[in-house]
Amino acid sequence: MPFIGVLGGMGPVATVDFMAKLVALTPASRDQDHLPVVVINLPRIPDRSAAILGSGQDPLPGLKEGIALLNRADVGLIAIPCGTSHHWHSELSAASRAPILHIARAAVSRAPRGERTLILATRGALASGFFQRELTARETPFDIPSPDDEQVAVDDCIRLIKSGQPEAAGACLDRVFGNAHARGVRTVILGCTELPLAAVHAEWQAPHLIDCTLELARSAVEYALQRGWNCV
Amino acid sequence: MPFIGVLGGMGPVATVDFMAKLVALTPASRDQDHLPVVVINLPRIPDRSAAILGSGQDPLPGLKEGIALLNRADVGLIAIPCGTSHHWHSELSAASRAPILHIARAAVSRAPRGERTLILATRGALASGFFQRELTARETPFDIPSPDDEQVAVDDCIRLIKSGQPEAAGACLDRVFGNAHARGVRTVILGCTELPLAAVHAEWQAPHLIDCTLELARSAVEYALQRGWNCV
């Protein structure tokens, strides 16, 4: 029976959160009901957002190395719990025998069609535009944070999660969420896998708060269960 | 740089807990400071405790398969966040190029020498006796739960964690912890990786509550940091 492959470490806490969600979404009452998973944590892959913005090393060789390692372990599906890495989704898919889920497709599929949606993600992911393209294809209008104010808070939030300060990270989101609430936003996509770890500490919760890590995990579990990968 | 290899899935929630502890114990302020890790989750390995007690399928072939997969991924060290599996530690070590940490050695090294220690673990692990042997070597006396009463609560606790009911699992520990407290026990080894997930929901906390998952993670991080596996 094939494994679910996870290319992780970007960041490591987000990978743990993805694994916890994968396990929680699997219907199981004993170990043997769970899905076989291989996780490769490659935390040294260069910063994805900086690379997209033209100010950092290219992470594509490292990402491809991870995809090759997972294919060598005979995985039947790959999930990458790092939003920004999906800038290279086509290149990675072309280099992989196993299909690679797309985090933005998983997340956007949960957005109420036609309802204005706020996308929170790294500057790199927003510059790449894959969340915006998925929402446009779903005929759903979107907002992104103001670059000089709200996005600074999102950047700080992500950095604080990566350095182990989830409460402070939650406080960063409060400002962005407060503005969104005041504008009448009801749907927010947490489009970076660090953000759900901060959002649990934020005061306001949007009526439709879409957690990209949870939706990626849900897609992976559904794919595996449909194919009976949980059967002994 | 080598990977830390993790043979997981026994159970899957305990593996997530181990990964969370590994990440939390690593001094890091950004992704690139973290340690490279490969996790193989093989939840279908037959029940280890039942096998030791002579009533279940042999898990050794499955355990060996996991160790072989990790060695093929060029890991430099292996941790198995499942207490009972350490019954086969010698056989697995003989079949592995990478050294395999011993969870009981990691846990027992934190017990105050000479102070009576309560060992909580599966019936299989207690029948195997590896925790008892490590404590004897440390000249530290020990108790184990009464088989018809306290151990029933420990068994229930482990089963409830594996089926996703941590609060109910914590309540099972209350009875065992209450007896221990009344007897003046100050040191308790949580020698099954499900137990720390229940103990956080228990009322009484022993002055020395030794979490085998945490100690295994600490040993892995120390081993890797000493060898500079966190350096880019």
mmCIF file of all heavy atoms in Angstrom, chain A residues 169-199:
data_model
loop_
_atom_site.group_PDB
_atom_site.id
_atom_site.type_symbol
_atom_site.label_atom_id
_atom_site.label_comp_id
_atom_site.label_asym_id
_atom_site.label_seq_id
_atom_site.Cartn_x
_atom_site.Cartn_y
_atom_site.Cartn_z
ATOM 1 N N ALA A 169 2.622 36.098 17.918
ATOM 2 C CA ALA A 169 2.205 35.986 16.516
ATOM 3 C C ALA A 169 0.705 36.236 16.386
ATOM 4 O O ALA A 169 0.253 36.909 15.448
ATOM 5 C CB ALA A 169 2.571 34.599 15.978
ATOM 6 N N GLY A 170 -0.062 35.712 17.334
ATOM 7 C CA GLY A 170 -1.513 35.937 17.326
ATOM 8 C C GLY A 170 -1.852 37.412 17.453
ATOM 9 O O GLY A 170 -2.754 37.926 16.780
ATOM 10 N N ALA A 171 -1.095 38.115 18.314
ATOM 11 C CA ALA A 171 -1.339 39.551 18.507
ATOM 12 C C ALA A 171 -1.096 40.318 17.195
ATOM 13 O O ALA A 171 -1.794 41.289 16.900
ATOM 14 C CB ALA A 171 -0.444 40.083 19.622
ATOM 15 N N CYS A 172 -0.124 39.875 16.389
ATOM 16 C CA CYS A 172 0.121 40.523 15.079
ATOM 17 C C CYS A 172 -1.097 40.395 14.178
ATOM 18 O O CYS A 172 -1.415 41.305 13.403
ATOM 19 C CB CYS A 172 1.300 39.880 14.355
ATOM 20 S SG CYS A 172 2.867 40.219 15.102
ATOM 21 N N LEU A 173 -1.750 39.256 14.247
ATOM 22 C CA LEU A 173 -2.918 39.052 13.375
ATOM 23 C C LEU A 173 -4.101 39.918 13.808
ATOM 24 O O LEU A 173 -4.945 40.260 12.975
ATOM 25 C CB LEU A 173 -3.348 37.578 13.392
ATOM 26 C CG LEU A 173 -2.570 36.617 12.511
ATOM 27 C CD1 LEU A 173 -3.270 35.265 12.495
ATOM 28 C CD2 LEU A 173 -2.418 37.141 11.079
ATOM 29 N N ASP A 174 -4.147 40.277 15.100
ATOM 30 C CA ASP A 174 -5.309 41.022 15.595
ATOM 31 C C ASP A 174 -5.545 42.306 14.784
ATOM 32 O O ASP A 174 -6.675 42.641 14.470
ATOM 33 C CB ASP A 174 -5.123 41.361 17.091
ATOM 34 C CG ASP A 174 -5.507 40.180 17.980
ATOM 35 O OD1 ASP A 174 -6.360 39.377 17.558
ATOM 36 O OD2 ASP A 174 -4.946 40.055 19.083
ATOM 37 N N ARG A 175 -4.459 43.000 14.462
ATOM 38 C CA ARG A 175 -4.600 44.264 13.720
ATOM 39 C C ARG A 175 -5.213 44.000 12.331
ATOM 40 O O ARG A 175 -6.162 44.665 11.913
ATOM 41 C CB ARG A 175 -3.220 44.923 13.584
ATOM 42 C CG ARG A 175 -3.233 46.233 12.856
ATOM 43 C CD ARG A 175 -2.144 47.181 13.401
ATOM 44 N NE ARG A 175 -0.844 46.516 13.546
ATOM 45 C CZ ARG A 175 0.166 46.635 12.678
ATOM 46 N NH1 ARG A 175 0.031 47.388 11.595
ATOM 47 N NH2 ARG A 175 1.318 46.037 12.882
ATOM 48 N N VAL A 176 -4.673 42.982 11.658
ATOM 49 C CA VAL A 176 -5.144 42.659 10.301
ATOM 50 C C VAL A 176 -6.598 42.183 10.359
ATOM 51 O O VAL A 176 -7.445 42.607 9.562
ATOM 52 C CB VAL A 176 -4.255 41.557 9.683
ATOM 53 C CG1 VAL A 176 -4.666 41.270 8.256
ATOM 54 C CG2 VAL A 176 -2.791 41.954 9.770
ATOM 55 N N PHE A 177 -6.884 41.310 11.316
ATOM 56 C CA PHE A 177 -8.243 40.781 11.462
ATOM 57 C C PHE A 177 -9.222 41.916 11.821
ATOM 58 O O PHE A 177 -10.353 41.940 11.345
ATOM 59 C CB PHE A 177 -8.282 39.702 12.554
ATOM 60 C CG PHE A 177 -7.805 38.338 12.111
ATOM 61 C CD1 PHE A 177 -7.355 38.102 10.811
ATOM 62 C CD2 PHE A 177 -7.815 37.274 13.004
ATOM 63 C CE1 PHE A 177 -6.923 36.839 10.424
ATOM 64 C CE2 PHE A 177 -7.391 36.003 12.622
ATOM 65 C CZ PHE A 177 -6.943 35.791 11.331
ATOM 66 N N GLY A 178 -8.749 42.836 12.693
ATOM 67 C CA GLY A 178 -9.600 43.956 13.100
ATOM 68 C C GLY A 178 -10.010 44.802 11.899
ATOM 69 O O GLY A 178 -11.199 45.134 11.738
ATOM 70 N N ASN A 179 -9.050 45.118 11.044
ATOM 71 C CA ASN A 179 -9.360 45.890 9.825
ATOM 72 C C ASN A 179 -10.338 45.122 8.939
ATOM 73 O O ASN A 179 -11.270 45.694 8.388
ATOM 74 C CB ASN A 179 -8.093 46.162 9.010
ATOM 75 C CG ASN A 179 -7.159 47.133 9.718
ATOM 76 O OD1 ASN A 179 -7.527 47.726 10.723
ATOM 77 N ND2 ASN A 179 -5.949 47.272 9.189
ATOM 78 N N ALA A 180 -10.100 43.831 8.797
ATOM 79 C CA ALA A 180 -10.955 43.005 7.936
ATOM 80 C C ALA A 180 -12.384 42.986 8.482
ATOM 81 O O ALA A 180 -13.354 43.166 7.728
ATOM 82 C CB ALA A 180 -10.396 41.582 7.858
ATOM 83 N N HIS A 181 -12.506 42.812 9.777
ATOM 84 C CA HIS A 181 -13.801 42.787 10.439
ATOM 85 C C HIS A 181 -14.531 44.115 10.194
ATOM 86 O O HIS A 181 -15.711 44.136 9.830
ATOM 87 C CB HIS A 181 -13.576 42.554 11.940
ATOM 88 C CG HIS A 181 -14.830 42.383 12.733
ATOM 89 N ND1 HIS A 181 -15.922 41.682 12.263
ATOM 90 C CD2 HIS A 181 -15.168 42.828 13.976
ATOM 91 C CE1 HIS A 181 -16.881 41.703 13.181
ATOM 92 N NE2 HIS A 181 -16.448 42.394 14.220
ATOM 93 N N ALA A 182 -13.795 45.218 10.348
ATOM 94 C CA ALA A 182 -14.391 46.550 10.158
ATOM 95 C C ALA A 182 -14.865 46.738 8.713
ATOM 96 O O ALA A 182 -15.840 47.452 8.459
ATOM 97 C CB ALA A 182 -13.360 47.620 10.538
ATOM 98 N N ARG A 183 -14.181 46.125 7.775
ATOM 99 C CA ARG A 183 -14.566 46.239 6.351
ATOM 100 C C ARG A 183 -15.680 45.262 5.988
ATOM 101 O O ARG A 183 -16.080 45.189 4.825
ATOM 102 C CB ARG A 183 -13.370 45.911 5.444
ATOM 103 C CG ARG A 183 -12.324 46.985 5.338
ATOM 104 C CD ARG A 183 -11.433 46.791 4.095
ATOM 105 N NE ARG A 183 -10.894 45.446 3.928
ATOM 106 C CZ ARG A 183 -9.738 45.029 4.468
ATOM 107 N NH1 ARG A 183 -9.032 45.834 5.235
ATOM 108 N NH2 ARG A 183 -9.311 43.798 4.273
ATOM 109 N N GLY A 184 -16.100 44.429 6.928
ATOM 110 C CA GLY A 184 -17.176 43.476 6.648
ATOM 111 C C GLY A 184 -16.711 42.184 5.986
ATOM 112 O O GLY A 184 -17.526 41.418 5.464
ATOM 113 N N VAL A 185 -15.400 41.919 6.032
ATOM 114 C CA VAL A 185 -14.882 40.663 5.469
ATOM 115 C C VAL A 185 -15.388 39.493 6.312
ATOM 116 O O VAL A 185 -15.382 39.572 7.548
ATOM 117 C CB VAL A 185 -13.332 40.677 5.461
ATOM 118 C CG1 VAL A 185 -12.769 39.286 5.166
ATOM 119 C CG2 VAL A 185 -12.824 41.686 4.448
ATOM 120 N N ARG A 186 -15.850 38.439 5.646
ATOM 121 C CA ARG A 186 -16.330 37.267 6.373
ATOM 122 C C ARG A 186 -15.493 36.022 6.090
ATOM 123 O O ARG A 186 -15.541 35.052 6.826
ATOM 124 C CB ARG A 186 -17.798 36.986 6.003
ATOM 125 C CG ARG A 186 -18.781 38.055 6.534
ATOM 126 C CD ARG A 186 -20.159 37.912 5.922
ATOM 127 N NE ARG A 186 -20.581 36.530 5.846
ATOM 128 C CZ ARG A 186 -21.126 35.848 6.867
ATOM 129 N NH1 ARG A 186 -21.341 36.442 8.016
ATOM 130 N NH2 ARG A 186 -21.470 34.590 6.712
ATOM 131 N N THR A 187 -14.744 36.068 4.982
ATOM 132 C CA THR A 187 -13.938 34.904 4.621
ATOM 133 C C THR A 187 -12.462 35.295 4.568
ATOM 134 O O THR A 187 -12.090 36.252 3.888
ATOM 135 C CB THR A 187 -14.370 34.342 3.249
ATOM 136 O OG1 THR A 187 -15.754 34.028 3.305
ATOM 137 C CG2 THR A 187 -13.585 33.090 2.897
ATOM 138 N N VAL A 188 -11.645 34.545 5.301
ATOM 139 C CA VAL A 188 -10.201 34.790 5.313
ATOM 140 C C VAL A 188 -9.496 33.470 5.011
ATOM 141 O O VAL A 188 -9.780 32.455 5.661
ATOM 142 C CB VAL A 188 -9.727 35.324 6.692
ATOM 143 C CG1 VAL A 188 -8.215 35.513 6.706
ATOM 144 C CG2 VAL A 188 -10.442 36.623 7.057
ATOM 145 N N ILE A 189 -8.621 33.498 4.029
ATOM 146 C CA ILE A 189 -7.773 32.329 3.773
ATOM 147 C C ILE A 189 -6.448 32.527 4.489
ATOM 148 O O ILE A 189 -5.741 33.509 4.229
ATOM 149 C CB ILE A 189 -7.534 32.125 2.259
ATOM 150 C CG1 ILE A 189 -8.852 31.739 1.571
ATOM 151 C CG2 ILE A 189 -6.463 31.061 2.013
ATOM 152 C CD1 ILE A 189 -8.720 31.481 0.081
ATOM 153 N N LEU A 190 -6.140 31.613 5.407
ATOM 154 C CA LEU A 190 -4.817 31.589 6.030
ATOM 155 C C LEU A 190 -3.944 30.787 5.080
ATOM 156 O O LEU A 190 -3.928 29.558 5.118
ATOM 157 C CB LEU A 190 -4.890 30.944 7.413
ATOM 158 C CG LEU A 190 -5.855 31.621 8.408
ATOM 159 C CD1 LEU A 190 -5.968 30.793 9.683
ATOM 160 C CD2 LEU A 190 -5.397 33.038 8.718
ATOM 161 N N GLY A 191 -3.244 31.486 4.187
ATOM 162 C CA GLY A 191 -2.598 30.858 3.037
ATOM 163 C C GLY A 191 -1.123 30.576 3.236
ATOM 164 O O GLY A 191 -0.405 30.347 2.273
ATOM 165 N N CYS A 192 -0.704 30.616 4.456
ATOM 166 C CA CYS A 192 0.681 30.265 4.806
ATOM 167 C C CYS A 192 0.539 29.346 5.999
ATOM 168 O O CYS A 192 -0.243 29.636 6.924
ATOM 169 C CB CYS A 192 1.462 31.531 5.155
ATOM 170 S SG CYS A 192 3.001 31.210 6.052
ATOM 171 N N THR A 193 1.264 28.229 6.034
ATOM 172 C CA THR A 193 1.029 27.201 7.058
ATOM 173 C C THR A 193 1.461 27.629 8.460
ATOM 174 O O THR A 193 1.152 26.929 9.427
ATOM 175 C CB THR A 193 1.713 25.865 6.678
ATOM 176 O OG1 THR A 193 3.085 26.126 6.366
ATOM 177 C CG2 THR A 193 1.035 25.218 5.492
ATOM 178 N N GLU A 194 2.149 28.765 8.581
ATOM 179 C CA GLU A 194 2.422 29.290 9.926
ATOM 180 C C GLU A 194 1.184 29.991 10.501
ATOM 181 O O GLU A 194 1.013 30.053 11.720
ATOM 182 C CB GLU A 194 3.585 30.309 9.889
ATOM 183 C CG GLU A 194 4.946 29.700 10.158
ATOM 184 C CD GLU A 194 5.482 28.929 8.966
ATOM 185 O OE1 GLU A 194 5.193 29.337 7.807
ATOM 186 O OE2 GLU A 194 6.157 27.906 9.167
ATOM 187 N N LEU A 195 0.351 30.562 9.634
ATOM 188 C CA LEU A 195 -0.735 31.435 10.112
ATOM 189 C C LEU A 195 -1.781 30.728 10.978
ATOM 190 O O LEU A 195 -2.243 31.312 11.971
ATOM 191 C CB LEU A 195 -1.381 32.168 8.930
ATOM 192 C CG LEU A 195 -0.440 33.154 8.207
ATOM 193 C CD1 LEU A 195 -1.124 33.741 6.979
ATOM 194 C CD2 LEU A 195 0.000 34.269 9.152
ATOM 195 N N PRO A 196 -2.185 29.482 10.683
ATOM 196 C CA PRO A 196 -3.167 28.833 11.574
ATOM 197 C C PRO A 196 -2.645 28.685 13.002
ATOM 198 O O PRO A 196 -3.426 28.710 13.956
ATOM 199 C CB PRO A 196 -3.387 27.456 10.922
ATOM 200 C CG PRO A 196 -3.031 27.665 9.479
ATOM 201 C CD PRO A 196 -1.911 28.668 9.480
ATOM 202 N N LEU A 197 -1.330 28.562 13.153
ATOM 203 C CA LEU A 197 -0.742 28.419 14.489
ATOM 204 C C LEU A 197 -0.821 29.725 15.274
ATOM 205 O O LEU A 197 -0.791 29.718 16.503
ATOM 206 C CB LEU A 197 0.719 27.967 14.360
ATOM 207 C CG LEU A 197 0.865 26.571 13.750
ATOM 208 C CD1 LEU A 197 2.221 26.388 13.099
ATOM 209 C CD2 LEU A 197 0.662 25.517 14.831
ATOM 210 N N ALA A 198 -0.922 30.846 14.558
ATOM 211 C CA ALA A 198 -1.081 32.161 15.204
ATOM 212 C C ALA A 198 -2.557 32.479 15.397
ATOM 213 O O ALA A 198 -2.945 33.062 16.407
ATOM 214 C CB ALA A 198 -0.422 33.234 14.341
ATOM 215 N N ALA A 199 -3.385 32.088 14.425
ATOM 216 C CA ALA A 199 -4.805 32.488 14.444
ATOM 217 C C ALA A 199 -5.537 31.962 15.674
ATOM 218 O O ALA A 199 -6.452 32.614 16.165
ATOM 219 C CB ALA A 199 -5.500 32.020 13.161
#
